[in-house]
Amino acid sequence: MGRPELIECAEYGVAELVTNALLHGEQPIWVRVRGTRDHPRVEVHDASRQPPILPGSEPLSDVGEDDLLLTFGRGLDIVARCSTAWGAQIEEDGKIVWFVPSTESHDDTPVPGVISGADGDRADRLEPSDLIEVEIRDASLGALNVCQNHTRELYREVRLLSLAHESRYPLAKSLASLFGSLDRLVRDGIDSHEVEAALARGQRTATLRVTVPRSTVASIDRFLELLDLADAFCREERLLSLARSREQRRFQEWFFGEFVRQQQGESPIPWAEAAEGRQSVS
């Protein structure tokens, strides 16, 4: 990445977080880099939803050798002293502990960590008149899984950017709210048991009925524009993640477009029919 000044602190932080995941987390465990070139973020994921133990305020020099051995791989003092921002994101499938490497360690002023997550972010109870049921006809289950993961990734990305560098990325906080509402649309609106049952029967496609707030549907056009913008940032390497493939983009435009179309009173269009139409146009 051309950021050699970050290597030492990045190595210390990764060693601590991976040790922590191996000793106290659950498989699977993975490590990756996200964020931007100016503010690269290292993420370590494990399948445990147990929040990490935040470090104490005492300097490492005040900790005895035996105590240091007991806290190795558990306390996050090293991460707090080798980063400009760090924290943990608690998710449905585990947690991600992340940090932004610093150019040098700061033993006297450890950075406080921030623990965040989806718990408590559920929408308020809505009246039936505020909801709309949409029929997603003959959706590709494989493409749907990719769509769900991509939406969740974008939500996580802008949320963590806003937590770590809100002053440098002033739009991140408002984008996190929009992306979060669409993430909940995909995550909460679809019956996961219905999808799992279809997969267990060997189905490659399924027709799903999704109930979502009308207010969320009104944001979809703006959301699709932001997906294109995010792709452009990824291609320009302004975001350290991959742009969507053409097939992923087509599926997402059809999937989210069905919410807009059916709210306007139009009939559902199956995925295969929509895909053939788009291919003929291109």
Side-chain angles (χ1 to χ4, degrees):
M1 290 174 54
R3 299 297 304 276
E5 71 278 12
L6 303 179
I7 291 176
E8 184 175 16
C9 283
E11 288 178 341
Y12 283 131
V14 168
E16 173 64 19
L17 292 186
V18 171
T19 301
N20 198 34
L22 289 171
L23 293 179
H24 308 290
E26 299 177 12
Q27 300 283 350
I29 296 169
W30 48 253
V31 183
R32 69 179 182 185
V33 178
R34 283 291 190 264
T36 68
R37 283 191 175 275
D38 289 339
H39 301 99
R41 182 180 65 252
V42 180
E43 301 178 351
V44 176
H45 169 276
D46 78 87
S48 169
R49 300 186 78 247
Q50 182 68 32
I53 298 177
L54 296 177
S57 57
E58 69 278 4
L60 287 179
S61 58
D62 293 343
V63 180
E65 182 178 353
D66 293 339
D67 292 334
L68 185 59
L69 290 175
L70 289 173
T71 60
F72 179 71
R74 189 172 180 87
L76 295 171
D77 297 88
I78 293 176
V79 176
R81 288 165 168 78
C82 292
S83 62
T84 59
W86 70 279
Q89 173 82 8
I90 312 302
E91 304 193 331
E92 292 182 350
D93 62 346
K95 65 176 175 294
I96 291 176
V97 186
W98 57 272
F99 73 101
V100 180
S102 177
T103 56
E104 59 183 1
S105 62
H106 29 269
D107 293 341
D108 296 332
T109 56
V111 176
V114 178
I115 296 180
S116 58
D119 293 345
D121 290 343
R122 303 292 182 181
D124 295 334
R125 192 173 188 86
L126 298 173
E127 296 296 327
S129 60
D130 296 324
L131 301 172
I132 178 174
E133 184 179 84
V134 176
E135 180 179 329
I136 306 298
R137 186 172 295 178
D138 298 335
S140 165
L141 296 180
L144 177 62
N145 182 58
V146 172
C147 176
Q148 288 178 301
N149 289 337
H150 181 257
T151 306
R152 190 174 299 114
E153 284 287 313
L154 284 176
Y155 171 50
R156 178 191 300 132
E157 185 63 40
V158 293
R159 182 179 176 88
L160 294 184
L161 278 175
S162 67
L163 286 174
H165 304 289
E166 184 176 354
S167 61
R168 295 296 299 274
Y169 305 97
L171 290 178
K173 188 172 184 178
S174 59
L175 290 180
S177 176
L178 174 59
F179 279 61
S181 66
L182 269 296
D183 174 58
R184 285 191 292 272
L185 180 153
V186 178
R187 184 184 63 203
D188 299 340
I190 295 176
D191 187 342
S192 59
H193 297 293
E194 184 179 354
V195 174
E196 291 172 1
L199 289 171
R201 293 192 296 268
Q203 293 179 223
R204 301 181 65 179
T205 64
T207 295
L208 308 171
R209 287 173 175 79
V210 187
T211 301
V212 295
R214 293 181 183 274
S215 58
T216 300
V217 176
S219 304
I220 286 180
D221 285 340
R222 176 59 176 157
F223 177 70
L224 292 174
E225 293 176 2
L226 292 172
L227 290 180
D228 289 337
L229 183 61
D231 284 344
F233 283 173
C234 293
R235 286 190 290 268
E236 296 168 2
E237 297 185 346
R238 297 168 64 183
L239 284 176
L240 301 178
S241 55
L242 296 176
R244 294 173 296 171
S245 67
R246 179 178 298 181
E247 291 74 18
Q248 291 171 354
R249 179 176 176 180
R250 285 174 173 167
F251 183 84
Q252 283 186 322
E253 288 177 346
W254 165 77
F255 178 83
F256 290 111
E258 282 300 287
F259 292 89
V260 177
R261 293 181 62 262
Q262 293 184 40
Q263 186 183 39
Q264 296 170 348
E266 300 183 35
S267 300
I269 296 179
W271 162 235
E273 181 179 331
E276 290 174 2
R278 294 180 187 208
Q279 289 170 355
S280 63
V281 171
S282 61

